[in-house]
Amino acid sequence: MRKIQNVLTGFLSLGCLLGSASCMTLRSNSLTPLQQSIPNSQWQRRTMSALQKQAEEQGEVVRKIKEAIKADPNSYSKDDLNKAVALLKELKAKADDPMNALEDPIIKGKYELVRSVGEECVTDGELAMLLSKKPDSFVLYDGFEPSGRMHIAQGVFKAMNVNKCTRGGGTFIFWVADWFALMNDKMGGDLHKIKVVGKYLVEVWKATGMDMDKVKFIWSSDEITNNAAAYWTQALDVARRTTVARVKKCCQIMGRLENKLTAAQILYPLMQCTDIFFLKADICQLGVDQRKVNMLAREYCDSAGIKNKPIILSHHMLYGLKKGQEKMSKSDPDSAIFMEDTPEDVQRKINNAYCPSKPEEEEGKAEAAAGEAEGELDAGLESMHLSHDALKNPCLDYVQHIIFSVPDATFEAGGKKYASFTEVEADFLAGALTEEGLKAALITAVNLLLDPVRKHFSTDDNAKAILAQVMEWKRENLVPDKSLKRLAVTDGSKAVWAVFAPPASPELSLGSLVSVLKQLEAAPADSEVVLWCGDWSSFALNRCGGDHKVIRACYDLLVVALKATAPALMARVKVLVQSEQILVDPSLYWISVINVGRTFQLQKIRDVDESNEYAGQVVASLMHVGDVLALAPTVICCSPADKKLHEMAVSYYGECGITEIATPTVNEAEAVDSLLKPPHMLEGPVNADDNVFILDGTMDVGRKMKRAFCEPANIEHCPPITLANAVAFRAGASIAISRKPENGGDKEYTSVAEMEGDFKSGALHPGDLKPCVTKAVDAFIQQVRDVCKSDAAAKKAEADVKAYLKKVAASNKKK
């Protein structure tokens, strides 16, 4: 006991136990030459390990106090223990603080340089930790659509920000959204012309002084086409994990009100979120206006179990030059200075620019209130700036974020040389610098920044040729091709009878299987019969937990069951798997899907199944229209439950005036319900014994059929008779009843009407009906079992589905 007390007294004497300053002081910021010679990563590890060591030592103190108290309750007071524990928690928090990375002066310098780019960083700690782990290999990204013009914020401001990031050790990726420009019919919908415009914008950045050594331009048209499966399944994964309500909050990036969204405007944020993960970006370095969709990417990480979230480094959004313009607009040439503007353009625009020296809040509030009352307030104007700015003076904004974005910049105005923006602002607000003096100086400074760009395009032969080509196309007033864009998977030589397999389910019921058979059987003999298996749509709908392998196994098992139970029919059916067909020409397919989204209001898509709150429902519904266009069917045969979805697809033909392919007809085929429950329980919870499944064994079938609802004389709801018709009478087979002479003797039924008549009259008892139907159902399923035993592919599909069901059962048991 005394030995322990002596050890503890030693700790107390150092002040560790009660939180003295000597214990709580962390490593000094001053570095010795030896420390300065340590590489960044090693220095970070040593700094962190020192902090960890202090926490571990304090943990040992706490442990020994507890041991001492256990041996002798009077050895230490409760207050002593509480103080020791509190200090331990404090030390642990400091050891775990990612900002400790900035103890390294090199990392701190990189951090301050990169952080200066953003008006906001989510989060500062993650940025510090990233720079400590990847000081010279982190990746930033921004995207742009080659639409023809570049304003000064995208040109000069962006170039300066990129230079800061690359000097800080990063590689900056520009996602050239030429595919999206093609989708939006820019440059007449000509991808070659769009690429030339993209090259023009790259030349502008070169001329502004962007350091291209650590800058990459990645063309989305090439990347998305060459990596279509990876890109689009990533997009679908984002959709299946994100609610429609959450995506609607991103509507600001389209500048639209939520209640006026088209379905395509749900797709755009999902795709932008996908870009981040597709490019493996560590940092999203976009404007504040893109903050909501970037935050969506971080939320997706939580859902997908991704540990390293993208860091959001949002730069300031410059005001438009006109009063009330929260940001610049490429559609309004006088809202901004553009990189190709002449000196005369610059002078005119700045002289006409809004330039208040006092806030005009009340007037602005009144205008906003009026717009909001009329329901016309542009969502793109909301939350465009993170800090309050009552003045909203675009001229001062240009001085701060354009002129002073250049390293070591100065600004000469009104006969005075300014070294900082705060000095300019203070003099302007005090009246020492007049509006005329501010604008005259700004005109001179902006033209000096644009002069290298003008010179580049007048002296560099390559740049000059690109600009000449772009200007020529602008004068041509290019008109996009408005013909129908679709994937074509049938050649049109025959009338197509299309059947869409139900969304993938690991529990393929007997009713679902026979329903599909009935739809296929209804096809005319001279038609091309197609069964479409929507595996990617099922993924978007989060079927099978979003497991691609299991989804595919479910469809493989469906086809195995169809071929096993109706081999002659399936010999003339063409089975098409959605993903395989999409990948034949993914660009054309997704353009067709997005065009559908542009046509339909979001609510029209939601009306198909509003109970599904996820964006995957919207995407899957739009894909369904794309699927129908790809098949170009004469008839879509479906169950009543799916009719609404198909009718929505057909309505697209009329809304767009499609003439290239015939408008399909939607035919209903009565669905088969294999539920075994009483009618009053049909809407209640379902358990495994309430239905017959294709993977059921003989004992399963017997047990379920024995429990099946079978009320005497009730033919309105008699599951055994329904199943008898599904597995026997429908295909022209008969069902034999074996019973004693005194109970009516043996009888063979050849039609459902005959069986229903006897059951209703009492001539056929439930006790005689159930055993014979059980045999018929089991014999029907046995055909599938036999194939699964003999065919390797079928066996694998069965195994994959059963393994998934077992995994789900185990997970549910834990809950």
Side-chain angles (χ1 to χ4, degrees):
M1 176 66 192
R2 184 172 298 169
K3 184 176 181 181
I4 294 175
Q5 285 180 328
N6 289 338
V7 173
L8 293 174
T9 301
F11 279 104
L12 284 166
S13 67
L14 294 172
C16 290
L17 176 61
L18 301 180
S20 69
S22 62
C23 178
M24 295 177 66
T25 301
L26 301 179
R27 181 183 294 270
S28 170
N29 285 334
S30 59
L31 301 178
T32 66
L34 174 62
Q35 291 169 337
Q36 292 176 5
S37 69
I38 299 172
N40 296 337
S41 57
Q42 291 182 29
W43 168 243
Q44 174 62 14
R45 285 195 296 272
R46 293 188 186 189
T47 303
M48 295 301 289
S49 62
L51 293 166
Q52 283 293 122
K53 186 176 181 181
Q54 290 184 43
E56 288 170 4
E57 289 173 350
Q58 185 62 17
E60 184 66 13
V61 170
V62 171
R63 186 184 68 79
K64 290 184 176 181
I65 290 176
K66 288 180 177 179
E67 287 180 354
I69 291 173
K70 186 176 180 180
D72 178 5
N74 296 319
S75 59
Y76 290 97
S77 68
K78 187 176 181 180
D79 186 53
D80 288 340
L81 177 60
N82 288 341
K83 286 181 179 179
V85 170
L87 180 57
L88 174 61
K89 290 180 179 179
E90 184 177 348
L91 288 170
K92 281 185 174 180
K94 288 179 178 179
D96 293 338
D97 184 358
M99 297 303 285
N100 288 325
L102 303 187
E103 291 286 328
D104 178 353
I106 297 176
I107 299 300
K108 184 178 181 181
K110 289 174 176 286
Y111 172 85
E112 290 175 348
L113 189 61
V114 175
R115 181 63 181 84
S116 68
V117 167
E119 196 166 62
E120 178 192 52
C121 179
V122 183
T123 67
D124 288 323
E126 290 175 24
L127 177 60
M129 187 58 67
L130 173 70
L131 296 179
S132 71
K133 291 180 177 179
K134 301 169 68 175
D136 298 306
S137 60
F138 61 94
V139 175
L140 309 96
Y141 119 94
D142 192 358
F144 70 94
E145 183 179 298
S147 56
R149 305 197 78 188
M150 180 186 284
H151 53 60
I152 197 168
Q154 190 181 6
V156 174
F157 186 41
K158 190 66 194 181
M160 297 305 107
N161 283 343
V162 168
N163 287 350
K164 289 177 182 178
C165 293
T166 55
R167 282 205 307 273
T171 296
F172 208 104
I173 292 178
F174 278 103
W175 182 240
V176 188
D178 56 335
W179 189 86
F180 298 89
L182 174 68
M183 176 184 74
N184 292 325
D185 289 331
K186 298 295 173 66
M187 302 305 293
D190 186 319
L191 186 58
H192 168 70
K193 292 182 174 68
I194 292 167
K195 283 183 177 289
V196 173
V197 172
K199 292 175 182 177
Y200 157 70
L201 299 178
V202 173
E203 290 297 321
V204 173
W205 275 318
K206 287 180 182 177
T208 60
M210 183 183 287
D211 183 357
M212 295 295 180
D213 287 345
K214 296 188 73 176
V215 174
K216 295 180 181 179
F217 293 92
I218 297 180
W219 298 81
S220 64
S221 61
D222 297 333
E223 293 300 313
I224 292 177
T225 300
N226 296 334
N227 302 281
Y231 183 89
W232 290 111
T233 53
Q234 175 69 73
L236 296 175
D237 194 51
V238 176
R240 77 184 180 96
R241 296 177 184 274
T242 309
T243 64
V244 172
R246 176 61 185 88
V247 182
K248 285 168 71 175
K249 291 180 181 179
C250 298
C251 68
Q252 176 185 316
I253 67 171
M254 286 87 69
R256 294 289 185 273
L257 292 171
E258 290 187 17
N259 60 359
K260 292 187 176 181
L261 292 178
T262 64
Q265 286 164 320
I266 291 294
L267 287 176
Y268 298 148
L270 299 174
M271 293 165 70
Q272 187 171 327
C273 184
T274 299
D275 297 341
I276 297 167
F277 299 100
F278 182 73
L279 295 171
K280 296 180 172 58
D282 297 307
I283 301 174
C284 301
Q285 206 294 281
L286 295 88
V288 169
D289 61 331
Q290 309 295 308
R291 182 182 187 275
K292 289 182 179 180
V293 73
N294 289 332
M295 291 302 293
L296 173 62
R298 289 178 62 85
E299 292 167 24
Y300 165 76
C301 289
D302 291 330
S303 174
I306 298 173
K307 183 179 178 181
N308 295 322
K309 299 179 181 180
I311 296 162
I312 314 303
L313 190 63
S314 305
H315 64 247
H316 175 77
M317 295 297 295
L318 267 72
Y319 295 118
L321 292 174
K322 295 181 179 179
K323 181 179 177 180
Q325 290 183 326
E326 292 286 321
K327 69 171 185 174
M328 301 175 177
S329 171
K330 292 180 182 178
S331 60
D332 181 357
D334 285 337
S335 72
I337 303 299
F338 288 87
M339 297 303 291
E340 71 271 21
D341 279 352
T342 64
E344 293 75 21
D345 292 328
V346 173
Q347 183 176 11
R348 173 179 55 79
K349 291 180 181 182
I350 293 179
N351 279 333
N352 292 333
Y354 178 58
C355 191
S357 57
K358 294 180 180 179
E360 299 182 29
E361 287 187 293
E362 295 306 316
E363 183 180 349
K365 286 180 181 177
E367 290 176 2
E372 192 169 6
E374 295 170 9
E376 294 297 330
L377 185 63
D378 186 355
L381 301 184
E382 299 175 359
S383 306
M384 199 64 68
H385 299 90
L386 296 175
S387 57
H388 177 68
D389 179 9
L391 202 60
K392 296 186 177 181
N393 184 322
C395 295
L396 289 177
D397 211 28
Y398 268 48
V399 172
Q400 181 179 7
H401 295 286
I402 298 296
I403 307 307
F404 281 105
S405 72
V406 179
D408 303 319
T410 58
F411 182 65
E412 294 188 27
K416 183 177 178 180
K417 189 174 184 178
Y418 295 94
S420 71
F421 168 71
T422 53
E423 296 175 53
V424 178
E425 183 183 39
D427 276 6
F428 179 72
L429 296 180
L433 177 60
T434 65
E435 177 180 337
E436 292 75 16
L438 174 65
K439 287 184 173 180
L442 184 56
I443 290 167
T444 300
V446 167
N447 275 319
L448 284 173
L449 290 174
L450 297 185
D451 278 342
V453 179
R454 296 170 183 144
K455 182 179 179 181
H456 180 68
F457 281 99
S458 63
T459 59
D460 185 283
D461 291 339
N462 180 55
K464 188 190 299 185
I466 291 173
L467 177 60
Q469 183 66 84
V470 171
M471 297 308 294
E472 180 184 341
W473 287 332
K474 282 186 179 181
R475 288 191 293 270
E476 289 178 9
N477 190 26
L478 302 171
V479 178
D481 177 14
K482 293 298 183 182
S483 62
L484 177 65
K485 295 179 178 66
R486 70 180 185 97
L487 177 68
V489 301
T490 56
D491 59 16
S493 59
K494 286 185 177 182
V496 174
W497 181 277
V499 173
F500 288 82
S505 171
E507 295 183 312
L508 175 61
S509 71
L510 180 60
S512 293
L513 174 65
V514 178
S515 294
V516 174
L517 280 172
K518 289 179 66 177
Q519 293 165 30
L520 295 170
E521 288 167 346
D526 60 346
S527 62
E528 180 180 5
V529 188
V530 177
L531 176 65
W532 184 265
C533 299
D535 56 338
W536 277 9
S537 292
S538 293
F539 178 67
L541 293 170
N542 202 30
R543 294 304 181 104
C544 305
D547 189 317
H548 287 287
K549 184 177 78 169
V550 177
I551 289 171
R552 183 57 187 265
C554 289
Y555 280 120
D556 287 345
L557 197 59
L558 170 64
V559 175
V560 165
L562 290 169
K563 290 181 176 179
T565 55
L569 169 66
M570 291 304 293
R572 61 182 288 248
V573 174
K574 179 189 289 185
V575 178
L576 297 179
V577 177
Q578 182 188 44
S579 61
E580 294 175 356
Q581 299 306 310
I582 290 173
L583 293 175
V584 171
D585 193 338
S587 182
L588 199 53
Y589 175 81
W590 286 104
I591 287 174
S592 76
V593 170
I594 292 165
N595 284 341
V596 174
R598 287 170 169 170
T599 302
F600 286 152
Q601 290 293 307
L602 174 61
Q603 192 55 50
K604 181 166 184 173
I605 301 296
R606 297 292 293 131
D607 286 342
V608 173
D609 181 13
E610 202 154 11
S611 65
N612 188 333
E613 63 178 342
Y614 286 86
Q617 180 270 330
V618 176
V619 179
S621 297
L622 294 177
M623 290 174 69
H624 178 69
V625 184
D627 297 342
V628 171
L629 293 173
L631 286 168
T634 305
V635 176
I636 301 171
C637 191
C638 66
S639 64
D642 296 326
K643 188 175 181 181
K644 195 172 185 179
L645 177 64
H646 297 306
E647 287 180 337
M648 179 205 70
V650 171
S651 72
Y652 180 70
Y653 286 69
E655 291 200 27
C656 294
I658 294 174
T659 57
E660 291 91 337
I661 52 177
T663 303
T665 302
V666 179
N667 284 7
E668 272 189 50
E670 185 180 0
V672 176
D673 188 354
S674 53
L675 277 172
L676 305 174
K677 300 165 68 174
H680 66 279
M681 295 177 64
L682 291 176
E683 301 301 322
V686 178
N687 63 54
D689 278 0
D690 290 335
N691 210 330
V692 179
F693 300 105
I694 294 304
L695 291 181
D696 283 346
T698 298
M699 291 180 65
D700 297 320
V701 174
R703 182 185 70 255
K704 292 179 179 184
M705 291 299 298
K706 190 173 182 179
R707 295 181 54 199
F709 177 77
C710 191
E711 184 180 44
N714 182 353
I715 62 170
E716 298 301 320
H717 183 76
C718 183
I721 293 180
T722 299
L723 293 181
N725 188 42
V727 302
F729 302 138
R730 180 191 58 80
S734 61
I735 290 182
I737 301 288
S738 297
R739 55 191 174 186
K740 295 179 180 179
E742 58 267 29
N743 292 331
D746 297 346
K747 185 170 182 178
E748 186 170 345
Y749 290 94
T750 59
S751 72
V752 68
E754 184 183 9
M755 180 175 279
E756 285 179 339
D758 277 5
F759 191 74
K760 185 175 183 179
S761 68
L764 177 58
H765 190 271
D768 296 321
L769 173 64
K770 282 188 176 183
C772 67
V773 174
T774 299
K775 289 181 181 179
V777 169
D778 191 58
F780 185 84
I781 296 176
Q782 187 61 45
Q783 299 172 95
V784 183
R785 298 184 197 127
D786 291 342
V787 175
C788 288
K789 286 180 181 177
S790 61
D791 183 87
K795 186 182 293 185
K796 184 180 184 307
E798 179 188 31
D800 288 343
V801 171
K802 284 185 174 179
Y804 175 75
L805 289 171
K806 186 176 180 180
K807 179 181 174 182
V808 171
S811 177
N812 290 338
K813 191 174 182 180
K814 288 180 182 178
K815 294 177 183 178

